[in-house]
Amino acid sequence: MKKKQGLSRQYDSIIQDQLSTEIIEKVDIHYTEGLVHYIPHHAVISPLKITTKVRIVYNASAKTKREVKSLNECLYRGPVLLQNLCGMLIRFRIYRIDIEKAFLEVGLQPRERNVTRFLWLKD
């Protein structure tokens, strides 16, 4: 981030916005009840986009070792609740729908939140 001018400031701004809107929450790093897992994250830069030029991607598919499962591989998938994909795509094209932050609105049970931690050191 140090190589790209202003990226660290933009990244921190996104983190602070997610904190203020309660998309993410601060936790005591010493609180380790149950399973604890830290997810790596990085910036994706889209300079040609009008609205969101920088977004944060949390990589739950990352592995610490080749023989160890990623967080995504350990999660219970559950039943597929989506309707027919073809019908959904047609409806998306008919109505204007803003899905920019849709995945940030997914809530987790408090006992399961410790496996979705990430580190952010502003300085």
Side-chain angles (χ1 to χ4, degrees):
M1 277 195 226
K2 291 180 181 179
K3 293 179 183 178
K4 298 205 187 257
Q5 187 176 0
L7 180 58
S8 181
R9 189 175 14 82
Q10 286 179 297
Y11 206 98
D12 183 62
S13 175
I14 294 167
I15 295 287
Q16 298 308 319
D17 181 55
Q18 289 181 357
L19 270 171
S20 67
T21 56
E22 298 181 347
I23 292 170
I24 60 174
E25 63 186 356
K26 284 186 180 182
V27 295
D28 180 2
I29 197 166
H30 301 292
Y31 178 75
T32 57
E33 185 177 307
L35 292 173
V36 175
H37 178 79
Y38 288 87
I39 300 174
H41 53 94
H42 63 277
V44 172
I45 303 166
S46 305
L48 300 178
K49 280 198 142 186
I50 296 170
T51 55
T52 309
K53 295 187 184 297
V54 176
R55 65 184 172 90
I56 299 174
V57 174
Y58 301 94
N59 186 1
S61 295
K63 295 182 175 190
T64 55
K65 297 178 185 169
R66 197 172 279 205
E67 63 274 3
V68 177
K69 289 185 176 184
S70 70
L71 177 61
N72 278 351
E73 292 172 323
C74 295
L75 295 175
Y76 172 67
R77 182 172 164 211
V80 176
L81 301 175
L82 294 175
Q83 297 177 8
N84 178 326
L85 183 60
C86 189
M88 284 179 57
L89 291 174
I90 290 171
R91 284 191 299 278
F92 270 120
R93 296 193 53 90
I94 293 173
Y95 305 106
R96 185 172 178 90
I97 300 171
D98 184 12
I99 59 168
E100 177 183 343
K101 297 181 181 177
F103 291 103
L104 296 176
E105 299 296 325
V106 175
L108 298 175
Q109 296 294 323
R111 63 182 164 76
E112 297 171 345
R113 292 180 184 169
N114 282 329
V115 296
T116 60
R117 289 183 177 191
F118 67 93
L119 294 175
W120 175 241
L121 306 172
K122 184 178 177 182
D123 295 326

